[in-house]
Amino acid sequence: EKCVVAVDGPSGSGKSTVSRRLASAVDGVYLDTGAMYRAITWAVLQGGADLADPDAIAKIALETELSIGTDPLAPHFAANGTNVDAPIRGSEVTGAVSAVAAVPAVRKHLVALQRAIIAAHPRIIVEGRDIASVVAPDADLKVYLTASAAARAARRSAENATDVAATEADLARRDKLDSSRAVDPLKQASDAIEVDTTGMGIDEVVQHLLGLLNS
Ligand code: CDP
C-alpha cells in the first residue's frame, strides 16, 4: 500500500543519510527537497539574478527545467540539462539558497513539483524542512530529526572536509535565516515525532524509524 514518510530537521541532523537508508530498506524512492532548492539556486546564480530581487529569482526558478533523481543509491540532479550534483553542495549555492528558498513563488512552484512526485510513487521518503507541515501533512510517518549544534557541525564538516567552527557558524546563520521567514519551514509539525540523534549512529536511527513505521 501507499507509504509516505516525512523527514524534517535542520542541517546536519542526519536527514539525508537516514532518509536514503530508510528508502532502500523499504524498497522505496527518496526525494531530497533541499537539493531542489539548491538546484534552483544554482540556476538563479547562473542567470545572474540579483538575490535581493524576488521577481527576478522567481522568473528564473519557473523557467528552470529540473531533472530530479529519486534513486536512494544515486539521487542525481540536473538543471537545464546540466548535471549539478557537485555545484549544489558548493559554498556559492549554500550561501544563496536561504534567500532563494524564502521567495514565495519559488516555494509554491517546488511544493507543487514535490507533491506530484509523491503522488507518482507508492513508497517514498521525503526529506526537507516543511514536509510534515506543508508538503505532505497526510504522510504515514512524520519525524523531526534533531541533534546538538556541535554534533550537527561535526557531521557536516566531516562530510565536506571543512573547518568545524566555520561550519557551525554557517549552520547557525542558515538556521536563523530559515526560521525568520513569515512561514517558518523549520517549524516542527505538531504531530511529528522528534528524534534526537546526538548520540546515535546511523544504523540506530534507521532501525528506530523502521520500528516507528511498523508500529
Ligand atoms: O545543508 P542542509 O542539510 O541544511 O540543507 P538542505 O536540506 O540541502 O537545504 C538547503 C536549504 O534549502 C535550507 O537551508 C533551506 O533554506 C532550504 N529548504 C527549504 O526551504 N525547504 C525545504 N523543504 C528544504 C530546503
Side-chain angles (χ1 to χ4, degrees):
E1 84 247 53
K2 182 94 179 161
C3 175
V4 178
V5 178
V7 181
D8 290 299
S11 332
S13 56
K15 288 181 311 231
S16 302
T17 314
V18 164
S19 298
R20 290 172 67 169
R21 293 275 292 271
L22 189 61
S24 293
V26 302
D27 201 15
V29 301
Y30 160 67
L31 180 61
D32 180 353
T33 64
M36 295 173 71
Y37 286 95
R38 287 172 178 274
I40 288 292
T41 300
W42 177 87
V44 165
L45 293 174
Q46 283 278 303
D50 176 358
L51 290 178
D53 182 350
D55 293 332
I57 291 173
K59 183 171 186 296
I60 294 179
L62 272 78
E63 284 169 352
T64 301
E65 193 216 312
L66 279 186
S67 160
I68 300 156
T70 58
D71 177 348
L73 299 178
H76 298 302
F77 273 68
N80 298 323
T82 300
N83 176 283
V84 293
D85 293 334
I88 63 174
R89 305 297 161 190
S91 58
E92 267 186 274
V93 166
T94 298
V97 63
S98 291
V100 172
V103 176
V106 171
R107 302 201 71 81
K108 193 171 169 229
H109 176 60
L110 291 188
V111 168
L113 281 178
Q114 289 155 13
R115 288 182 176 152
I117 294 168
I118 292 168
H121 295 279
R123 277 191 298 282
I124 183 164
I125 315 299
V126 190
E127 172 209 330
R129 310 272 173 147
D130 59 344
I131 309 308
S133 56
V134 176
V135 177
D138 295 332
D140 301 279
L141 174 65
K142 303 177 204 175
V143 291
Y144 188 84
L145 297 187
T146 57
S148 68
R152 299 198 284 120
R155 285 175 189 164
R156 184 48 55 95
S157 66
E159 267 166 35
N160 295 355
T162 47
D163 175 69
V164 185
T167 303
E168 188 162 350
D170 176 65
L171 295 190
R173 178 192 67 84
R174 273 197 297 138
D175 285 351
K176 186 155 176 283
L177 276 178
D178 288 340
S179 62
S180 61
R181 293 188 199 142
V183 179
D184 179 357
L186 281 171
K187 207 171 100 220
Q188 191 178 351
S190 56
D191 57 348
I193 299 171
E194 181 169 329
V195 179
D196 187 335
T197 68
T198 304
M200 290 170 90
I202 302 286
D203 281 332
E204 215 178 331
V205 180
V206 173
Q207 287 308 319
H208 184 66
L209 299 193
L210 281 170
L212 291 174
L213 200 51
N214 295 323
S215 65

